[in-house]
Amino acid sequence: MSRLDRQSFLGPNSDAILEGATIGIVGLGGGGSHVAQQTAHMGVGGYVNADPDVIEDTNTNRLIGGTLADVDSRMPKVAIAARLIRGLNPGARIISVQDDWHNAVDDLKRCDIIVGAVDGFREREQLERFAGRHLIPYIDIGMDVHDLGKEGYLVSGQIILSMPGAPCMRCCGFITDERLEQEARKYGAAGSRPQVVWSNGVLASTTVGLLTQVLTPWYQNPPSFVFLDYDGNKGTVTRNARMELLKDQVCPHHPHDEAGDPLFDIRKQAFAPRPAPASERVRLPWWRRLLIRLRGRKSI
């Protein structure tokens, strides 16, 4: 048996489909790190990973694959994701962009699907609009913790699949002008949002299931629009009522005449990792560099 034989039910040539697929992951700090890990287990072959940050001590409660040694060496989150992926698929095609995703758009255009694990509503809307314009399915995941006073805290989240032409996050009321205005007023003063590893894992696992539905023949006639609500207190993932209300609706917010980029030709795009500037390369501790040389391995 090969390591992927037990997922052969995903359909004819599913292994080759997943190996040939390229996914974009924007945000590798929480849910995005789970997505990188799980898709690597499934045999996805191509990645465009974008995140400007390095791992910090406060990330270690939820960043899959990150270690305390990585904190000491200020390892970029995209480098941790690449290491995690290559531990399962040494031949994976990985473009790591240690930068804001807006500076990775040419790389993200080559993706078959994009997963957004970002915090802000504005960021989500921009990512969805970018994906829709380039006819790329987009999956948004996010969680929050709400203070209920004497009743404690509510852990909640959502998973939204936005297919080109199908209902978007504005159609379903998740993105609104009011939310964008509230976020703008709080910009820079909101602080970091509470995060825990298990809720990120639930959201990411559900996301990988949707991603697999989109890419493989496994699930016949998957829905073109998905809006799922996560209740961490009850331990449930349920269909939002808007899924049925918006069934078969055409999105008015992302017109077809806005789709496409006449200057982009994927046939002319070489999948080439970006070389990191010398000033941004990770400086490993001397003992780790020595071990790498002794083992005959290349450093990051």
Side-chain angles (χ1 to χ4, degrees):
M1 292 180 65
S2 75
R3 78 176 189 90
L4 300 178
D5 277 351
R6 292 195 178 188
Q7 63 184 47
S8 60
F9 68 88
L10 294 178
N13 303 315
S14 59
D15 290 356
I17 291 171
L18 291 170
E19 168 60 28
T22 299
I23 66 171
I25 307 176
V26 179
L28 277 301
S33 65
H34 284 269
V35 173
Q37 180 194 48
Q38 293 188 35
T39 52
H41 276 287
M42 294 190 64
V44 170
Y47 294 83
V48 176
N49 297 329
D51 193 308
D53 298 328
V54 299
I55 187 173
E56 298 178 351
D57 186 62
T58 54
N59 302 137
T60 56
N61 76 318
R62 65 190 184 280
L63 197 160
I64 301 303
T67 67
L68 296 179
D70 294 333
V71 175
D72 292 339
S73 61
R74 294 182 56 78
M75 183 79 74
K77 293 178 181 178
V78 292
I80 295 171
R83 181 182 66 196
L84 186 65
I85 293 164
R86 288 207 168 97
L88 290 158
N89 185 357
R93 309 175 304 279
I94 304 174
I95 295 178
S96 297
V97 183
Q98 191 189 348
D99 203 342
D100 185 278
W101 71 269
H102 294 89
N103 297 317
V105 292
D106 286 339
D107 297 313
L108 289 168
K109 287 176 187 177
R110 72 179 71 247
C111 294
D112 298 293
I113 191 166
I114 295 173
V115 176
V118 297
D119 288 333
F121 290 108
R122 179 70 64 188
E123 198 92 359
R124 287 183 162 97
E125 182 176 49
Q126 291 174 352
L127 257 176
E128 182 185 39
R129 186 172 294 279
F130 166 81
R133 180 183 178 189
H134 296 284
L135 304 178
I136 302 171
Y138 173 71
I139 304 178
D140 182 86
I141 60 175
M143 67 151 290
D144 208 346
V145 179
H146 305 276
D147 188 349
L148 303 180
K150 294 182 180 180
E151 297 183 16
Y153 294 88
L154 169 63
V155 178
S156 65
Q158 80 289 324
I159 309 104
I160 300 175
L161 167 64
S162 173
M163 298 285 283
C168 70
M169 291 190 288
R170 275 192 176 267
C171 292
C172 68
F174 181 71
I175 297 289
T176 64
D177 289 337
E178 291 76 17
R179 280 185 164 177
L180 293 174
E181 290 172 7
Q182 290 174 4
E183 182 176 82
R185 287 196 297 268
K186 295 178 180 178
Y187 182 77
S192 58
R193 294 186 175 182
Q195 296 279 318
V196 284
V197 69
W198 86 80
S199 57
N200 280 330
V202 172
L203 295 168
S205 294
T206 307
T207 294
V208 173
L210 291 174
L211 182 149
T212 307
Q213 287 182 6
V214 172
L215 293 178
T216 71
W218 157 52
Y219 195 84
Q220 298 297 316
N221 301 315
S224 59
F225 167 65
V226 175
F227 187 175
L228 302 176
D229 292 317
Y230 169 61
D231 186 324
N233 294 35
K234 295 180 180 178
T236 60
V237 177
T238 56
R239 291 164 61 99
N240 188 286
R242 291 178 177 85
M243 275 190 66
E244 189 62 32
L245 293 173
L246 296 173
K247 186 177 180 180
D248 301 324
Q249 177 174 311
V250 176
C251 173
H253 302 104
H254 305 286
H256 286 297
D257 58 6
E258 291 183 1
D261 181 348
L263 300 179
F264 180 78
D265 186 346
I266 196 168
R267 296 169 299 179
K268 298 179 180 179
Q269 303 300 311
F271 199 101
R274 294 184 176 190
S279 61
E280 295 181 5
R281 289 174 188 160
V282 178
R283 184 66 174 174
L284 299 176
W286 68 268
W287 56 270
R288 290 182 68 183
R289 299 199 302 273
L290 177 61
L291 283 176
I292 289 170
R293 286 199 295 271
L294 291 175
R295 292 172 181 170
R297 294 166 53 188
K298 292 183 179 179
S299 62
I300 295 174

